[in-house]
Amino acid sequence: MDLETELLTSSDDDIKKAAEIIAAGGIVGMPTETVYGLAADAENADAVRKIFMAKGRPQDNPLIVHLADISDISDYAYDIPDIAYKIAERFCPGPLTMVLPKRDRIPDITSAGLDTVGIRIPSHKAARKLIKFSGKAIAAPSANLSGSPSPTTAIHVMNDMNGKIPAVIDGGSCPVGVESTVISFESGKIRILRPGFVLAEELSEFGEVIIDRHITEAADNGEKVLSPGMKYKHYSPKANVTIIDGDSEHYIEFVNSHGGEGVFAMPFDSDEPFCRIPAVPYGDTCEEQAAKLFDVLRKFDEIGAKQVYARCPAVSGVGLAVYNRLLRAAGFEIIKIT
Ligand code: TXA
Ligand code: MG
């Protein structure tokens, strides 16, 4: 398929155009508060198939279904625990996905054959309008080519999807920058399958929180994982990324003695003035790092980096989400320096 991909604004008229494409079984790039998504009518199997084609996504990786309101959840899921509603009241609309038993109206292709569905109520205005104007539940994975860093601007989506989809809505840079926190429920307990902006500490007010071990550990070959997306190498720029786990002084010493052609540092902002090799910094606080991570990983592709040494983020708060994505970008390659 070779289309002219139209860059739409976030005006109501333009979002209505996008909503018409969705209602007619097409797919469009949609901004959300986390990352851009590739949106289609979640109940239209042919439309959802187009998402998998455009991304080159493995068929066994389920899509998140985006709804407008908490009161819509029971139309698409059942056996919803009370605690799910309590959590939804607190965090939705927002960067949270809840895995729940799915109703039959969600086709198998959307849930990748699972009997559950990930439900999310985004807070981004343009996403909310697209859902309302189209009158559809919207299936949307991140709008990157499968395996590439998630897109956090409309230009990132254009770079990956130009010619493959009819339109992208430009909603500016995504404020969160990493994908939603994905949780499931196990007899009163909350399992975090993917860390994001909604934190374990916050969720623990509602019940015991289990942090799935695949958040920080690679799955063994063929091992069953509860969230299929966790088993893929992900978020990878073309360069080889290595995480350097150490304090500022050790990190700077390491990069300054490992320079070479195509070698770049990915330091914290405060380390950058001391780096004597080319560097693209990614912020100082975890929140800044989350917002910048994917843009910086994409930059390394643009500048033709061959080797990137990224300073390990703090592995707490939103830092856990940053670390989880960076680990996959690095194929779990970490050097600890003490
Ligand atoms: O912030 C987000 O969640 C973004 C925006 C566009 O909403 N979407 C997103 O979708 O990140 P995607 O497809 O790139 O990642 C969805 C993750 C995958 O790891 C997938 O395996 C997991 O959620 N997931 C989806 N449905 C699931 C289910 N029923 N059970 C377990 N994991 C599920
Ligand atoms: Mg994704």
Short mmCIF file of all heavy atoms in Angstrom, two decimals, residues 188-237:
data_model
loop_
_atom_site.label_atom_id
_atom_site.label_comp_id
_atom_site.label_asym_id
_atom_site.label_seq_id
_atom_site.Cartn_x
_atom_site.Cartn_y
_atom_site.Cartn_z
N GLY A 188 -7.74 -10.32 44.17
CA GLY A 188 -7.53 -9.19 45.07
C GLY A 188 -6.17 -8.53 44.93
O GLY A 188 -5.94 -7.45 45.47
N LYS A 189 -5.24 -9.20 44.22
CA LYS A 189 -3.91 -8.60 44.04
C LYS A 189 -3.82 -7.93 42.67
O LYS A 189 -4.55 -8.27 41.75
CB LYS A 189 -2.84 -9.68 44.16
CG LYS A 189 -2.79 -10.29 45.54
CD LYS A 189 -1.68 -11.30 45.64
CE LYS A 189 -1.72 -11.94 47.03
NZ LYS A 189 -1.05 -13.22 47.07
N ILE A 190 -2.90 -6.98 42.60
CA ILE A 190 -2.71 -6.23 41.36
C ILE A 190 -1.33 -6.60 40.81
O ILE A 190 -0.34 -6.47 41.53
CB ILE A 190 -2.73 -4.71 41.65
CG1 ILE A 190 -4.03 -4.32 42.37
CG2 ILE A 190 -2.50 -3.90 40.37
CD1 ILE A 190 -3.88 -3.07 43.23
N ARG A 191 -1.30 -7.09 39.58
CA ARG A 191 0.01 -7.44 38.99
C ARG A 191 0.38 -6.39 37.96
O ARG A 191 -0.40 -6.10 37.05
CB ARG A 191 -0.04 -8.82 38.33
CG ARG A 191 1.30 -9.21 37.67
CD ARG A 191 1.22 -10.58 37.03
NE ARG A 191 1.17 -11.65 38.00
CZ ARG A 191 2.25 -12.23 38.54
NH1 ARG A 191 3.47 -11.86 38.19
NH2 ARG A 191 2.11 -13.20 39.42
N ILE A 192 1.56 -5.79 38.11
CA ILE A 192 2.02 -4.84 37.10
C ILE A 192 2.76 -5.61 36.02
O ILE A 192 3.78 -6.26 36.27
CB ILE A 192 2.94 -3.76 37.71
CG1 ILE A 192 2.16 -2.99 38.80
CG2 ILE A 192 3.45 -2.81 36.63
CD1 ILE A 192 2.87 -1.78 39.35
N LEU A 193 2.20 -5.56 34.80
CA LEU A 193 2.80 -6.28 33.67
C LEU A 193 3.76 -5.38 32.91
O LEU A 193 4.71 -5.86 32.30
CB LEU A 193 1.69 -6.76 32.72
CG LEU A 193 0.71 -7.76 33.32
CD1 LEU A 193 -0.44 -8.03 32.35
CD2 LEU A 193 1.41 -9.07 33.66
N ARG A 194 3.46 -4.08 32.92
CA ARG A 194 4.36 -3.12 32.27
C ARG A 194 4.34 -1.85 33.11
O ARG A 194 3.28 -1.30 33.38
CB ARG A 194 3.89 -2.82 30.84
CG ARG A 194 4.81 -1.83 30.11
CD ARG A 194 4.40 -1.62 28.66
NE ARG A 194 3.14 -0.87 28.55
CZ ARG A 194 2.55 -0.59 27.39
NH1 ARG A 194 3.09 -1.00 26.26
NH2 ARG A 194 1.41 0.09 27.37
N PRO A 195 5.52 -1.36 33.56
CA PRO A 195 5.53 -0.16 34.39
C PRO A 195 5.34 1.09 33.54
O PRO A 195 5.72 1.13 32.37
CB PRO A 195 6.94 -0.17 35.00
CG PRO A 195 7.78 -0.90 33.99
CD PRO A 195 6.87 -1.88 33.30
N GLY A 196 4.72 2.11 34.14
CA GLY A 196 4.49 3.36 33.43
C GLY A 196 4.40 4.49 34.43
O GLY A 196 4.98 4.42 35.53
N PHE A 197 3.64 5.49 34.09
CA PHE A 197 3.54 6.71 34.91
C PHE A 197 2.70 6.47 36.17
O PHE A 197 2.89 7.14 37.18
CB PHE A 197 2.93 7.82 34.04
CG PHE A 197 3.21 9.19 34.53
CD1 PHE A 197 4.47 9.76 34.37
CD2 PHE A 197 2.22 9.94 35.15
CE1 PHE A 197 4.74 11.04 34.81
CE2 PHE A 197 2.48 11.23 35.60
CZ PHE A 197 3.75 11.78 35.43
N VAL A 198 1.73 5.55 36.11
CA VAL A 198 0.98 5.17 37.32
C VAL A 198 1.85 4.14 38.05
O VAL A 198 2.19 3.09 37.51
CB VAL A 198 -0.40 4.59 36.96
CG1 VAL A 198 -1.08 4.02 38.19
CG2 VAL A 198 -1.28 5.67 36.31
N LEU A 199 2.21 4.47 39.28
CA LEU A 199 3.26 3.73 39.99
C LEU A 199 2.73 2.63 40.91
O LEU A 199 1.61 2.73 41.43
CB LEU A 199 4.08 4.70 40.84
CG LEU A 199 4.69 5.90 40.11
CD1 LEU A 199 5.44 6.79 41.11
CD2 LEU A 199 5.62 5.43 38.99
N ALA A 200 3.58 1.64 41.17
CA ALA A 200 3.28 0.57 42.13
C ALA A 200 2.88 1.17 43.48
O ALA A 200 1.92 0.74 44.12
CB ALA A 200 4.48 -0.34 42.30
N GLU A 201 3.64 2.20 43.90
CA GLU A 201 3.37 2.83 45.20
C GLU A 201 1.93 3.37 45.25
O GLU A 201 1.26 3.26 46.28
CB GLU A 201 4.31 4.01 45.45
CG GLU A 201 5.79 3.68 45.54
CD GLU A 201 6.51 3.63 44.19
OE1 GLU A 201 6.09 2.82 43.32
OE2 GLU A 201 7.47 4.38 43.98
N GLU A 202 1.49 3.95 44.15
CA GLU A 202 0.13 4.51 44.12
C GLU A 202 -0.92 3.40 44.09
O GLU A 202 -1.96 3.49 44.74
CB GLU A 202 -0.03 5.39 42.88
CG GLU A 202 0.89 6.60 42.88
CD GLU A 202 0.81 7.37 41.57
OE1 GLU A 202 1.17 6.82 40.51
OE2 GLU A 202 0.38 8.53 41.62
N LEU A 203 -0.63 2.34 43.33
CA LEU A 203 -1.60 1.25 43.21
C LEU A 203 -1.71 0.46 44.51
O LEU A 203 -2.75 -0.13 44.79
CB LEU A 203 -1.18 0.31 42.06
CG LEU A 203 -1.32 0.94 40.66
CD1 LEU A 203 -0.54 0.11 39.62
CD2 LEU A 203 -2.79 1.05 40.25
N SER A 204 -0.65 0.48 45.32
CA SER A 204 -0.66 -0.35 46.53
C SER A 204 -1.68 0.13 47.56
O SER A 204 -2.00 -0.59 48.49
CB SER A 204 0.75 -0.42 47.15
OG SER A 204 1.12 0.84 47.58
N GLU A 205 -2.20 1.33 47.36
CA GLU A 205 -3.32 1.79 48.22
C GLU A 205 -4.56 0.94 48.01
O GLU A 205 -5.48 0.94 48.83
CB GLU A 205 -3.71 3.22 47.82
CG GLU A 205 -2.97 4.28 48.56
CD GLU A 205 -3.47 5.64 48.10
OE1 GLU A 205 -4.70 5.85 48.00
OE2 GLU A 205 -2.60 6.49 47.82
N PHE A 206 -4.63 0.23 46.88
CA PHE A 206 -5.86 -0.49 46.53
C PHE A 206 -5.74 -2.00 46.73
O PHE A 206 -6.72 -2.73 46.56
CB PHE A 206 -6.22 -0.19 45.06
CG PHE A 206 -6.49 1.26 44.83
CD1 PHE A 206 -5.45 2.14 44.52
CD2 PHE A 206 -7.77 1.77 44.96
CE1 PHE A 206 -5.69 3.48 44.33
CE2 PHE A 206 -8.02 3.12 44.78
CZ PHE A 206 -6.98 3.99 44.46
N GLY A 207 -4.56 -2.48 47.04
CA GLY A 207 -4.35 -3.92 47.23
C GLY A 207 -2.88 -4.24 47.08
O GLY A 207 -2.08 -3.38 46.71
N GLU A 208 -2.55 -5.51 47.38
CA GLU A 208 -1.14 -5.93 47.26
C GLU A 208 -0.70 -5.86 45.79
O GLU A 208 -1.44 -6.29 44.90
CB GLU A 208 -1.01 -7.37 47.78
CG GLU A 208 0.44 -7.81 47.87
CD GLU A 208 0.54 -9.27 48.31
OE1 GLU A 208 -0.31 -9.72 49.10
OE2 GLU A 208 1.49 -9.93 47.85
N VAL A 209 0.48 -5.30 45.56
CA VAL A 209 0.97 -5.16 44.19
C VAL A 209 2.11 -6.13 43.94
O VAL A 209 3.05 -6.23 44.73
CB VAL A 209 1.46 -3.71 43.94
CG1 VAL A 209 2.13 -3.58 42.59
CG2 VAL A 209 0.30 -2.72 44.06
N ILE A 210 1.98 -6.87 42.84
CA ILE A 210 3.07 -7.77 42.43
C ILE A 210 3.72 -7.14 41.19
O ILE A 210 3.01 -6.77 40.24
CB ILE A 210 2.52 -9.16 42.03
CG1 ILE A 210 1.68 -9.74 43.16
CG2 ILE A 210 3.65 -10.09 41.62
CD1 ILE A 210 0.77 -10.87 42.71
N ILE A 211 5.04 -7.01 41.22
CA ILE A 211 5.72 -6.49 40.04
C ILE A 211 6.21 -7.68 39.23
O ILE A 211 7.05 -8.45 39.71
CB ILE A 211 6.88 -5.55 40.45
CG1 ILE A 211 6.28 -4.39 41.25
CG2 ILE A 211 7.66 -5.07 39.22
CD1 ILE A 211 7.12 -3.17 41.40
N ASP A 212 5.63 -7.89 38.06
CA ASP A 212 5.99 -9.05 37.26
C ASP A 212 7.49 -9.08 37.01
O ASP A 212 8.10 -8.05 36.70
CB ASP A 212 5.23 -9.02 35.93
CG ASP A 212 5.24 -10.37 35.24
OD1 ASP A 212 6.21 -10.64 34.49
OD2 ASP A 212 4.30 -11.15 35.47
N ARG A 213 8.08 -10.28 37.13
CA ARG A 213 9.54 -10.30 37.06
C ARG A 213 10.06 -9.99 35.65
O ARG A 213 11.21 -9.59 35.48
CB ARG A 213 10.10 -11.61 37.61
CG ARG A 213 9.92 -12.81 36.74
CD ARG A 213 10.51 -14.06 37.42
NE ARG A 213 10.23 -15.21 36.59
CZ ARG A 213 11.00 -15.57 35.58
NH1 ARG A 213 12.09 -14.91 35.28
NH2 ARG A 213 10.67 -16.61 34.84
N HIS A 214 9.21 -10.14 34.65
CA HIS A 214 9.69 -9.85 33.28
C HIS A 214 9.86 -8.35 33.01
O HIS A 214 10.30 -7.96 31.94
CB HIS A 214 8.76 -10.49 32.25
CG HIS A 214 8.86 -11.98 32.27
ND1 HIS A 214 7.83 -12.80 32.63
CD2 HIS A 214 9.92 -12.79 32.03
CE1 HIS A 214 8.24 -14.06 32.60
NE2 HIS A 214 9.50 -14.07 32.23
N ILE A 215 9.50 -7.52 34.00
CA ILE A 215 9.74 -6.09 33.84
C ILE A 215 11.25 -5.80 33.85
O ILE A 215 11.73 -4.94 33.14
CB ILE A 215 9.00 -5.32 34.96
CG1 ILE A 215 7.51 -5.31 34.62
CG2 ILE A 215 9.55 -3.90 35.15
CD1 ILE A 215 6.61 -4.71 35.69
N THR A 216 11.98 -6.57 34.65
CA THR A 216 13.43 -6.32 34.73
C THR A 216 14.27 -7.52 34.30
O THR A 216 15.48 -7.45 34.33
CB THR A 216 13.84 -5.92 36.17
OG1 THR A 216 13.34 -6.91 37.06
CG2 THR A 216 13.29 -4.56 36.55
N GLU A 217 13.58 -8.64 33.92
CA GLU A 217 14.36 -9.82 33.49
C GLU A 217 13.92 -10.25 32.11
O GLU A 217 12.73 -10.20 31.79
CB GLU A 217 14.08 -11.00 34.44
CG GLU A 217 14.74 -10.89 35.78
CD GLU A 217 14.29 -12.03 36.70
OE1 GLU A 217 14.05 -13.15 36.21
OE2 GLU A 217 14.15 -11.76 37.90
N ALA A 218 14.87 -10.72 31.32
CA ALA A 218 14.54 -11.23 29.98
C ALA A 218 13.78 -12.54 30.13
O ALA A 218 14.05 -13.32 31.04
CB ALA A 218 15.83 -11.45 29.20
N ALA A 219 12.82 -12.76 29.22
CA ALA A 219 12.13 -14.05 29.21
C ALA A 219 13.04 -15.06 28.54
O ALA A 219 13.73 -14.75 27.58
CB ALA A 219 10.83 -13.92 28.42
N ASP A 220 13.06 -16.30 29.09
CA ASP A 220 13.84 -17.35 28.43
C ASP A 220 13.14 -17.72 27.13
O ASP A 220 11.94 -17.52 26.99
CB ASP A 220 13.93 -18.59 29.33
CG ASP A 220 14.72 -18.27 30.59
OD1 ASP A 220 15.59 -17.39 30.53
OD2 ASP A 220 14.45 -18.91 31.63
N ASN A 221 13.92 -18.28 26.21
CA ASN A 221 13.34 -18.70 24.93
C ASN A 221 12.14 -19.60 25.14
O ASN A 221 12.23 -20.59 25.84
CB ASN A 221 14.40 -19.48 24.13
CG ASN A 221 14.87 -18.64 22.96
OD1 ASN A 221 14.25 -17.61 22.66
ND2 ASN A 221 15.96 -19.05 22.35
N GLY A 222 10.99 -19.21 24.55
CA GLY A 222 9.81 -20.07 24.64
C GLY A 222 9.06 -19.98 25.96
O GLY A 222 8.02 -20.57 26.12
N GLU A 223 9.57 -19.20 26.92
CA GLU A 223 8.89 -19.07 28.22
C GLU A 223 7.58 -18.33 28.04
O GLU A 223 7.50 -17.37 27.27
CB GLU A 223 9.81 -18.30 29.18
CG GLU A 223 9.28 -18.22 30.59
CD GLU A 223 10.18 -17.37 31.50
OE1 GLU A 223 11.22 -16.89 31.01
OE2 GLU A 223 9.82 -17.19 32.66
N LYS A 224 6.55 -18.77 28.79
CA LYS A 224 5.25 -18.09 28.69
C LYS A 224 5.31 -16.80 29.51
O LYS A 224 5.70 -16.82 30.67
CB LYS A 224 4.16 -19.02 29.25
CG LYS A 224 2.77 -18.52 28.99
CD LYS A 224 1.74 -19.59 29.40
CE LYS A 224 0.32 -19.13 29.12
NZ LYS A 224 -0.08 -17.93 29.84
N VAL A 225 4.94 -15.68 28.90
CA VAL A 225 4.89 -14.44 29.67
C VAL A 225 3.44 -13.96 29.70
O VAL A 225 2.67 -14.25 28.79
CB VAL A 225 5.80 -13.33 29.06
CG1 VAL A 225 7.26 -13.72 29.13
CG2 VAL A 225 5.39 -13.01 27.64
N LEU A 226 3.07 -13.25 30.77
CA LEU A 226 1.67 -12.86 30.94
C LEU A 226 1.30 -11.72 30.02
O LEU A 226 0.15 -11.52 29.69
CB LEU A 226 1.42 -12.49 32.40
CG LEU A 226 1.51 -13.68 33.35
CD1 LEU A 226 1.48 -13.23 34.80
CD2 LEU A 226 0.38 -14.66 33.08
N SER A 227 2.26 -10.91 29.62
CA SER A 227 2.00 -9.84 28.68
C SER A 227 2.88 -10.10 27.46
O SER A 227 4.09 -9.93 27.53
CB SER A 227 2.35 -8.50 29.32
OG SER A 227 2.10 -7.47 28.40
N PRO A 228 2.27 -10.55 26.36
CA PRO A 228 3.07 -11.02 25.23
C PRO A 228 4.11 -10.00 24.76
O PRO A 228 5.18 -10.38 24.30
CB PRO A 228 2.02 -11.29 24.15
CG PRO A 228 0.78 -11.62 24.92
CD PRO A 228 0.83 -10.76 26.14
N GLY A 229 3.80 -8.69 24.90
CA GLY A 229 4.73 -7.67 24.44
C GLY A 229 6.08 -7.72 25.14
O GLY A 229 7.08 -7.22 24.63
N MET A 230 6.11 -8.35 26.33
CA MET A 230 7.35 -8.35 27.12
C MET A 230 8.42 -9.26 26.55
O MET A 230 9.57 -9.21 26.99
CB MET A 230 7.04 -8.83 28.53
CG MET A 230 6.02 -7.98 29.18
SD MET A 230 6.81 -7.02 30.41
CE MET A 230 5.94 -7.61 31.80
N LYS A 231 8.04 -10.15 25.63
CA LYS A 231 9.06 -11.10 25.20
C LYS A 231 9.84 -10.58 24.00
O LYS A 231 10.86 -11.16 23.62
CB LYS A 231 8.44 -12.46 24.93
CG LYS A 231 7.55 -12.51 23.74
CD LYS A 231 6.93 -13.89 23.61
CE LYS A 231 5.97 -13.90 22.44
NZ LYS A 231 4.82 -14.74 22.60
N TYR A 232 9.36 -9.51 23.39
CA TYR A 232 10.05 -9.04 22.19
C TYR A 232 11.15 -8.05 22.50
O TYR A 232 11.02 -7.24 23.40
CB TYR A 232 9.05 -8.40 21.23
CG TYR A 232 8.02 -9.38 20.76
CD1 TYR A 232 6.70 -9.31 21.21
CD2 TYR A 232 8.37 -10.42 19.92
CE1 TYR A 232 5.76 -10.25 20.81
CE2 TYR A 232 7.44 -11.36 19.52
CZ TYR A 232 6.14 -11.26 19.96
OH TYR A 232 5.22 -12.18 19.58
N LYS A 233 12.24 -8.10 21.71
CA LYS A 233 13.23 -7.03 21.76
C LYS A 233 12.51 -5.80 21.21
O LYS A 233 11.75 -5.90 20.26
CB LYS A 233 14.47 -7.35 20.92
CG LYS A 233 15.51 -6.24 21.06
CD LYS A 233 16.87 -6.60 20.52
CE LYS A 233 17.73 -5.34 20.63
NZ LYS A 233 19.10 -5.49 20.22
N HIS A 234 12.71 -4.68 21.80
CA HIS A 234 11.78 -3.59 21.62
C HIS A 234 12.51 -2.29 21.62
O HIS A 234 13.62 -2.22 22.14
CB HIS A 234 10.89 -3.58 22.86
CG HIS A 234 9.45 -3.62 22.54
ND1 HIS A 234 8.59 -4.46 23.18
CD2 HIS A 234 8.69 -2.93 21.66
CE1 HIS A 234 7.38 -4.28 22.72
NE2 HIS A 234 7.41 -3.36 21.80
N TYR A 235 11.87 -1.26 21.14
CA TYR A 235 12.34 0.10 21.37
C TYR A 235 13.76 0.32 20.85
O TYR A 235 14.46 1.20 21.33
CB TYR A 235 12.32 0.43 22.88
CG TYR A 235 11.05 0.02 23.59
CD1 TYR A 235 11.04 -0.94 24.59
CD2 TYR A 235 9.84 0.62 23.24
CE1 TYR A 235 9.86 -1.29 25.23
CE2 TYR A 235 8.67 0.26 23.87
CZ TYR A 235 8.69 -0.69 24.87
OH TYR A 235 7.54 -1.04 25.49
N SER A 236 14.20 -0.51 19.91
CA SER A 236 15.61 -0.49 19.56
C SER A 236 15.94 0.45 18.43
O SER A 236 15.41 0.32 17.34
CB SER A 236 16.03 -1.89 19.11
OG SER A 236 16.03 -2.70 20.20
N PRO A 237 16.88 1.34 18.67
CA PRO A 237 17.46 2.04 17.54
C PRO A 237 18.41 1.07 16.83
O PRO A 237 18.65 -0.03 17.32
CB PRO A 237 18.22 3.19 18.20
CG PRO A 237 18.53 2.72 19.57
CD PRO A 237 17.49 1.69 19.93
#
